[in-house]
Amino acid sequence: MGNKQTVFTHEQLEAYQDNPFRQRIAQVFSEDGDGHMTLDNFLDMFSVMSEMAPRDLKAYYAFKIYDFNNDDYICVWDLEQTVTQLTRGELSAEEVSLVCEKVLDEADGDHDGRLSLEDFQNMILRAPDFLSTFHIRI
Amino acid sequence: MSQSLAFVLNVPETPQDPEDQEPSPYDESEVHDSFHQLIQEQSRWVAEEGLELQQRVPGAGALGASGSDRQALLGPEGAPVYSTATLRILASMPSRTIGRSRGAILSQYYSRTVRLRRRAGRPQLRDVGRSARPSLRLYDLELDPAVLEEDEKRGLLVKELQGLTVAQRDHMLRGMPLSLSEKRCLREESRPPRGKRRARGHRGLLSCCSQLRDSCILASHNLGLALLSGLQALMPWHYALKRIGGQFGSSVLSYFLFLKTLLAFNTLLLLPLLAFIVGVQAAFPPAPSGSVPAFRGLELLTGGGRFTHTVMYYGYYSNATLNQPCASPRDGGQCTPEAGGLPYNMPLAYLFTVGVAFFITCITLVYSMSRSFGESYRVGSTSGVHAITVFCSWDYKVTQKWATRLQHDNIRTQLKELLAEGQLRHRPPRACGRLWQAAVLGLVWLLCLGTTLVCALAVYSFSELVLQQSRVSAERDGALLALPLVVCLLNLGAPYLFRVLAALERHDSPVLEVYVAICRNLILKMVILGILCYHWLGRRVGTLKDQCWEDFVGQELYRLMVMDFIFTLLDTLLGELVWRLISEKRSQRKGKPEFDIAGNVLELIYGQTLTWLGVLFSPLLPAMQIIKLLFVFYVKKTSLMANCQAPRRPWKASHMSTVFISLLCFPSFLGAAIFLCYAIWQVKPSSICGPFRTLDTMYEAGKVWVRHLEEAGPRVSWLPWIHRYLVESAFPIYLASALLLAVIYLNIQVVKGQRKVICLLKEQLSNEGEDKIFLINKLQRIYERKERSRVGRTEEAVTPPAVFTDDWDAQ
């Protein structure tokens, strides 16, 4: 993937493992939720991350990826985890909580303090970039 | 709550110990795993100590974190307090189960499919129960998840899927969040078996047509898939684009995708020209006139010399009907006795082919522009920028470690900028600060427009000079390159000047800076091209009265294109390679230069405008453009990999693609179309060369043909009628404009209405949320009171229902 050689050195493999959500992706797409993927799970993952997957399907899986505690809602803790991983911990705690507050203000439709799947999908509808960023080229 | 609610609330008993429970919802698979564990722990706690239960949330106070204005489920200690019974009911809410169980997914998609098939409208008001607010849930035909087994739900779903058309079924299946193997099974099962087709005979012709259409669609779909998998191997640059996306992200990739789009447009333009003009004329070459000059190397730059009397230019094409069977012996040299050959009217073919090629390009451009707009702009898409930055800005394509580090930095910078912007908005801007900013902005714009004017004057005076020189002495080949050289130098130098001037002004948002820079560069290029067009059609035509001016214009455009290519190479070399060497020597920290997406895209648009301007005079110009684009792709890609880094500014790749395509359509294609229309309608073609040499305007070829048709007889009289009433008269244009304005107005009103509906629905959503929290609070209070009464008075088992209504009134 991305290189025509078939045997990778350790350094080269390290270079490919820099997605901050790689653990979550493995957990979401694996059958038992602990990160061990079968071939079918692997195909599922690439099917969802391909160009042809519809927006709602991608939003569904993105929601599951960002839901760190697997409770079907993206609560404030999940948001804080997401922001911290996105910025590699380089934002101060105050800034992180400010960002989370603003995100909840903007996206939370029923004002229960957390994002449900519908809130998330509604927010994704307003982001045309999502289809091109939530996409892995094979 | 003034009236008493006459319902009986069946409160199940809280268990003394876990073993005595009747089968309850949390034993089934619908209950969430973490809740299951929680309930077990807390039931044990209750049994041991008989205390009130606390819910632990991972993190600090999930609900009601900041809301004094939000109804929060807060207990006396400030943390949410639930009892087991409440937790049980909460855990089995339909919205909690949709993400988890396959059964819930199947039932949700079943209801969606049913809705799609029957297109259920709004439910009748009399069916609405007496609730306070008719909720949107009434629109759903949700299956009761507790009643049916998963297999039954699956069977129902398959049955519904069979009733859809193939396209709808595929669309529905593609959107389901199930695994691939399950989707494949569903698809196999929902294909209609052959036997059933005969059973539906009573619907007759309609079902036959729809089945035929279905099978056609299915066959073409399969063929398309097979072709696609075959084409994947042939698709150009697939691996290169993947590497670029992986190292530099979506924004730089958008430039290369745009280049690929332009390649497609040029191929689309070239094919009809090759088939109907170039190929035919090459098969029937005219008699050679005069001696053919020898090939010198300079022809590749000037386009003249050896290339002049070839299919490359307008002058080569004959103005007679080709392949005509010999009618009379007096017809001289053009008699090629092809028995049964079709006569081919060259002037008409030339005019129509160019017109149709442009028309097809126009339709394709407008279609891709509207599709791009539809994808990237939404009603209300300007709000929610924090949420979009957090969730949609990580590019999963990027694989290299240093590139992901850059992404982390970009996102952090973006978030910091957003926070700073938010704080700035809270402070009111100073009046004199704004005035100063406006003054600086106005000054910079004035300077830029002044520079553009100076460049335009320079081009104009130089072109006049060249004209004077040509009158005095015959032009040497080398001197022909002077004007293109000047134009390209100005096109190269002025944007750098604009960049220096733009450093003076300070914009609120960096994206606006980019748009302003694009705007200024575009104005410069279009003004220069406008001056050149006037020079060709206004002045050169007069000067070259006895020569072939169309050939000359075609050669000028060829020269401009070649010079543009050379200067692009130079710019890449100097702008990127040399700058990287210098900046590396100076300071290690500064790093590589950024890839200038906007400037490069404008170069591409400029080159494409030149092609469109020159198609009428040089039908092979799109082929040159294709070759040029191929070279540019490889040069830019090599330079990018070696010398550049991704831009630090936040680039919305989809917005930029829309902007590129609309810039391609509006100033670029529109200008070329206007130039073409003027050349066809108003300018007299030269009298010694080309397919229109005996006519007053190029358009007259069409008129002559229509006159022929009128004389031909009454059978084809509708064509002259169309020509007289639809093409020649002005009424259809007025009608079309009025229709267009009406459609635009209707669309604006529809968008306004949609905005209002969105506001209303948002309000309704938040009200429903408040309702839900209110009900949960009430439920919790009931259980609390029951628990207290059970603990306090051990002899009372169940409180009579009447007590509830009193308590309810007392709230």
Side-chain angles (χ1 to χ4, degrees):
Chain A
M1 285 183 358
N3 202 319
K4 282 181 178 157
Q5 66 188 74
T6 49
V7 179
F8 290 85
T9 64
H10 188 69
E11 287 78 28
Q12 282 171 322
L13 271 180
E14 277 296 305
Y16 280 111
Q17 291 171 17
D18 221 23
N19 191 325
F21 302 110
R22 55 185 185 271
Q23 304 270 14
R24 286 298 304 159
I25 294 175
Q27 279 167 8
V28 163
F29 284 102
S30 60
E31 260 167 19
D32 41 7
D34 66 352
H36 298 118
M37 294 205 277
T38 64
L39 177 65
D40 277 338
N41 300 138
F42 194 70
L43 284 177
D44 279 341
M45 181 179 84
F46 273 105
S47 155
V48 169
M49 307 285 274
S50 76
E51 234 165 14
M52 314 256 285
R55 185 195 306 267
D56 280 341
L57 188 65
K58 287 195 189 224
Y60 176 83
Y61 280 100
F63 181 79
K64 290 179 88 163
I65 288 176
Y66 294 128
D67 180 19
F68 281 79
N69 54 7
N70 284 324
D71 64 350
D72 289 339
Y73 288 102
I74 295 183
C75 56
V76 179
W77 186 79
D78 292 328
L79 277 176
E80 283 172 2
Q81 291 293 308
T82 308
V83 174
T84 312
Q85 296 218 359
L86 267 181
T87 56
R88 278 169 76 228
E90 282 164 8
L91 281 183
S92 70
E94 194 190 302
E95 287 172 334
V96 168
S97 63
L98 211 60
V99 168
C100 295
E101 199 183 293
K102 285 214 189 295
V103 169
L104 278 177
D105 273 339
E106 287 167 359
D108 192 7
D110 52 0
H111 298 300
D112 59 354
R114 51 204 177 162
L115 299 180
S116 65
L117 177 62
E118 283 78 28
D119 290 332
F120 189 77
Q121 278 178 333
N122 188 28
M123 190 260 307
I124 291 290
L125 272 182
R126 289 186 263 141
D129 278 322
F130 178 71
L131 283 177
S132 69
T133 54
F134 199 74
H135 166 226
I136 292 181
R137 257 180 196 264
I138 304 181
Chain B
M1 304 282 287
S2 53
Q3 53 179 347
S4 60
L5 291 166
F7 65 88
V8 175
L9 184 64
N10 239 346
V11 177
E13 296 209 21
T14 46
Q16 296 280 354
D17 48 331
E19 281 83 71
D20 279 347
Q21 287 168 15
E22 71 248 8
S24 53
Y26 75 54
D27 286 334
E28 296 170 9
S29 60
E30 255 91 74
V31 171
H32 196 284
D33 285 344
S34 66
F35 269 116
H36 181 67
Q37 203 181 5
L38 212 57
I39 288 171
Q40 274 191 327
E41 271 178 38
Q42 288 163 1
S43 318
R44 244 179 289 131
W45 217 15
V46 162
E48 285 167 13
E49 292 171 287
L51 287 176
E52 285 285 315
L53 300 169
Q54 302 241 354
Q55 187 203 28
R56 281 174 308 179
V57 260
L63 291 174
S66 60
S68 55
D69 51 344
R70 286 194 205 134
Q71 249 190 60
L73 294 169
L74 290 178
E77 296 86 0
V81 172
Y82 295 134
S83 69
T84 35
T86 317
L87 279 175
R88 231 183 289 149
I89 293 181
L90 281 183
S92 56
M93 279 197 297
S95 61
R96 298 303 304 265
T97 59
I98 279 198
R100 295 297 295 181
S101 68
R102 279 185 64 245
I105 293 176
L106 287 173
S107 61
Q108 185 192 27
Y109 274 87
Y110 166 75
S111 63
R112 275 195 198 168
T113 317
V114 165
R115 221 182 308 151
L116 186 68
R117 275 199 60 210
R118 295 174 201 167
R119 298 196 187 275
R122 257 185 256 189
Q124 303 282 344
L125 269 180
R126 63 166 180 266
D127 294 337
V128 170
R130 239 186 292 139
S131 51
R133 231 191 288 268
S135 159
L136 275 177
R137 275 237 173 259
L138 284 173
Y139 291 92
D140 279 349
L141 303 168
E142 288 280 345
L143 292 178
D144 193 359
V147 170
L148 294 173
E149 290 298 321
E150 202 175 281
D151 290 328
E152 292 177 17
K153 285 184 218 165
R154 194 196 149 87
L156 281 171
L157 178 64
V158 166
K159 225 180 288 178
E160 286 299 327
L161 280 176
Q162 282 172 353
L164 294 177
T165 62
V166 177
Q168 283 174 326
R169 189 188 317 149
D170 276 347
H171 185 74
M172 185 65 69
L173 276 173
R174 230 177 249 171
M176 281 193 205
L178 298 168
S179 70
L180 268 184
S181 43
E182 287 182 33
K183 286 199 229 188
R184 242 181 254 142
C185 290
L186 280 173
R187 190 175 65 171
E188 285 301 319
E189 286 174 25
S190 55
R191 278 225 178 103
R194 285 186 189 275
K196 274 208 173 159
R197 227 175 269 169
R198 303 225 161 74
R200 288 203 226 164
H202 69 277
R203 269 199 268 158
L205 189 65
L206 213 62
S207 75
C208 224
C209 279
S210 68
Q211 274 156 26
L212 189 68
R213 189 188 58 182
D214 276 353
S215 46
C216 280
I217 290 175
L218 204 65
S220 63
H221 193 60
N222 287 337
L223 187 69
L225 281 175
L227 271 179
L228 203 67
S229 53
L231 274 179
Q232 282 282 351
L234 297 175
M235 193 142 19
W237 309 327
H238 182 73
Y239 178 62
L241 288 174
K242 178 173 162 28
R243 272 183 72 199
I244 293 172
Q247 291 188 15
F248 297 94
S250 306
S251 49
V252 172
L253 191 62
S254 65
Y255 165 78
F256 289 92
L257 289 174
F258 185 66
L259 206 153
K260 221 170 116 169
T261 315
L262 280 183
L263 210 65
F265 274 119
N266 278 309
T267 318
L268 194 68
L269 188 64
L270 185 67
L271 286 174
L273 293 172
L274 270 182
F276 295 108
I277 303 183
V278 178
V280 174
Q281 189 65 66
F284 299 95
S289 56
S291 64
V292 175
F295 178 78
R296 294 178 293 151
L298 209 55
E299 273 91 359
L300 289 174
L301 282 181
T302 61
R306 178 72 183 81
F307 287 162
T308 314
H309 295 289
T310 56
V311 277
M312 237 173 89
Y313 295 109
Y314 169 97
Y316 186 73
Y317 295 88
S318 82
N319 69 332
T321 308
L322 302 171
N323 201 19
Q324 202 166 33
C326 289
S328 55
R330 135 178 109 79
D331 218 24
Q334 289 284 10
C335 192
T336 44
E338 288 265 343
L342 292 169
Y344 195 81
N345 190 343
M346 196 63 206
L348 205 61
Y350 199 93
L351 187 68
F352 271 2
T353 312
V354 171
V356 166
F358 257 73
F359 187 69
I360 293 176
T361 311
C362 180
I363 299 282
T364 319
L365 257 181
V366 169
Y367 172 72
S368 60
M369 191 174 77
S370 70
R371 206 179 53 161
S372 192
F373 251 103
E375 279 173 8
S376 56
Y377 287 100
R378 297 251 180 265
V379 176
S381 69
T382 45
S383 63
V385 67
H386 289 86
I388 291 175
T389 310
V390 167
F391 290 121
C392 306
S393 54
W394 181 264
D395 198 346
Y396 284 74
K397 274 200 267 307
V398 177
T399 50
Q400 303 288 322
K401 206 171 188 111
W402 55 269
T404 49
R405 195 143 303 171
L406 196 67
Q407 263 206 74
H408 283 296
D409 289 340
N410 274 353
I411 293 176
R412 187 199 50 195
T413 316
Q414 239 176 298
L415 285 174
K416 281 203 166 138
E417 276 178 11
L418 282 173
L419 287 176
E421 217 176 302
Q423 285 188 344
L424 205 67
R425 220 173 281 143
H426 288 293
R427 280 190 278 129
R430 300 182 333 246
C432 63
R434 292 294 290 261
L435 211 63
W436 174 247
Q437 218 178 4
V440 168
L441 199 68
L443 183 68
V444 172
W445 264 105
L446 221 62
L447 283 173
C448 290
L449 287 176
T451 315
T452 310
L453 207 63
V454 163
C455 292
L457 278 173
V459 170
Y460 178 71
S461 44
F462 197 80
S463 65
E464 288 293 312
L465 189 71
V466 168
L467 206 65
Q468 298 294 337
Q469 288 282 359
S470 74
R471 270 201 204 122
V472 169
S473 61
E475 281 180 273
R476 288 173 298 121
D477 277 346
L480 290 170
L481 291 173
L483 184 60
L485 197 70
V486 166
V487 168
C488 285
L489 275 173
L490 287 174
N491 271 330
L492 188 68
Y496 284 111
L497 185 63
F498 290 158
R499 219 186 286 182
V500 166
L501 288 173
L504 290 174
E505 64 189 11
R506 220 161 301 279
H507 280 285
D508 286 332
S509 73
V511 186
L512 196 62
E513 267 183 54
V514 171
Y515 283 134
V516 165
I518 290 179
C519 206
R520 287 179 186 149
N521 279 329
L522 199 67
I523 292 177
L524 172 79
K525 290 190 154 77
M526 292 301 137
V527 164
I528 290 183
L529 277 180
I531 302 268
L532 283 174
C533 289
Y534 164 73
H535 169 72
W536 293 323
L537 287 186
R539 311 283 284 131
R540 278 285 177 181
V541 176
T543 327
L544 295 170
K545 252 194 283 288
D546 299 324
Q547 300 163 45
C548 205
W549 65 265
E550 291 98 347
D551 267 4
F552 184 78
V553 173
Q555 284 165 6
E556 282 268 299
L557 279 162
Y558 176 87
R559 286 191 282 267
L560 270 174
M561 193 184 288
V562 170
M563 276 286 133
D564 185 47
F565 176 57
I566 293 175
F567 271 80
T568 307
L569 291 178
L570 274 178
D571 190 23
T572 309
L573 211 63
L574 290 174
E576 293 172 5
L577 177 64
V578 173
W579 191 356
R580 172 181 76 104
L581 292 172
I582 290 178
S583 74
E584 266 183 6
K585 287 230 171 61
R586 277 248 211 100
S587 55
Q588 303 290 3
R589 234 177 359 107
K590 197 155 170 118
K592 305 176 172 178
E594 278 180 25
F595 186 75
D596 181 15
I597 301 176
N600 283 308
V601 164
L602 278 178
E603 286 282 337
L604 286 179
I605 293 180
Y606 175 73
Q608 190 58 41
T609 317
L610 290 176
T611 311
W612 280 331
L613 284 174
V615 159
L616 183 65
F617 307 111
S618 169
L620 279 183
L621 213 58
M624 312 289 157
Q625 173 76 350
I626 288 175
I627 297 174
K628 177 182 154 201
L629 283 175
L630 288 173
F631 272 114
V632 164
F633 182 90
Y634 287 108
V635 166
K636 286 286 175 190
K637 180 178 88 91
T638 319
S639 168
L640 176 75
M641 297 291 191
N643 302 329
C644 298
Q645 63 177 353
R648 294 190 168 274
R649 297 257 181 249
W651 278 85
K652 288 208 171 94
S654 62
H655 276 184
M656 293 316 290
S657 310
T658 312
V659 167
F660 298 160
I661 268 269
S662 24
L663 284 178
L664 191 68
C665 190
F666 279 125
S668 171
F669 183 78
L670 198 66
I674 291 175
F675 176 78
L676 192 81
C677 289
Y678 184 77
I680 290 183
W681 252 294
Q682 297 290 336
V683 183
K684 183 171 179 345
S686 65
S687 51
I688 60 161
C689 66
F692 305 105
R693 53 190 95 159
T694 52
L695 305 167
D696 275 334
T697 62
M698 293 190 201
Y699 183 65
E700 234 184 78
K703 279 202 236 178
V704 164
W705 181 61
V706 170
R707 239 174 280 144
H708 271 281
L709 281 180
E710 277 177 349
E711 291 162 12
R715 274 182 305 141
V716 279
S717 60
W718 52 275
L719 264 173
W721 184 89
I722 289 178
H723 182 257
R724 200 176 314 139
Y725 290 108
L726 292 182
V727 178
E728 295 264 285
S729 80
F731 177 70
I733 296 186
Y734 292 144
L735 191 67
S737 319
L739 274 174
L740 194 68
L741 284 174
V743 165
I744 290 176
Y745 173 74
L746 276 173
N747 272 319
I748 291 177
Q749 293 304 318
V750 164
V751 166
K752 269 196 200 163
Q754 281 176 343
R755 281 215 180 101
K756 274 201 198 126
V757 168
I758 288 176
C759 282
L760 285 173
L761 285 175
K762 273 200 183 139
E763 237 181 74
Q764 189 169 4
L765 206 62
S766 76
N767 285 333
E768 295 286 331
E770 281 178 29
D771 276 354
K772 189 171 89 171
I773 291 180
F774 173 79
L775 286 173
I776 293 176
N777 276 336
K778 276 276 181 260
L779 206 63
Q780 180 55 31
R781 287 207 189 96
I782 289 170
Y783 283 130
E784 269 179 30
R785 209 175 316 117
K786 193 178 176 316
E787 193 56 37
R788 249 183 267 131
S789 70
R790 193 188 61 81
V791 167
R793 293 166 289 183
T794 49
E795 65 270 16
E796 272 188 274
V798 171
T799 16
V803 182
F804 274 112
T805 48
D806 292 338
D807 278 72
W808 214 264
D809 284 335
Q811 292 291 332

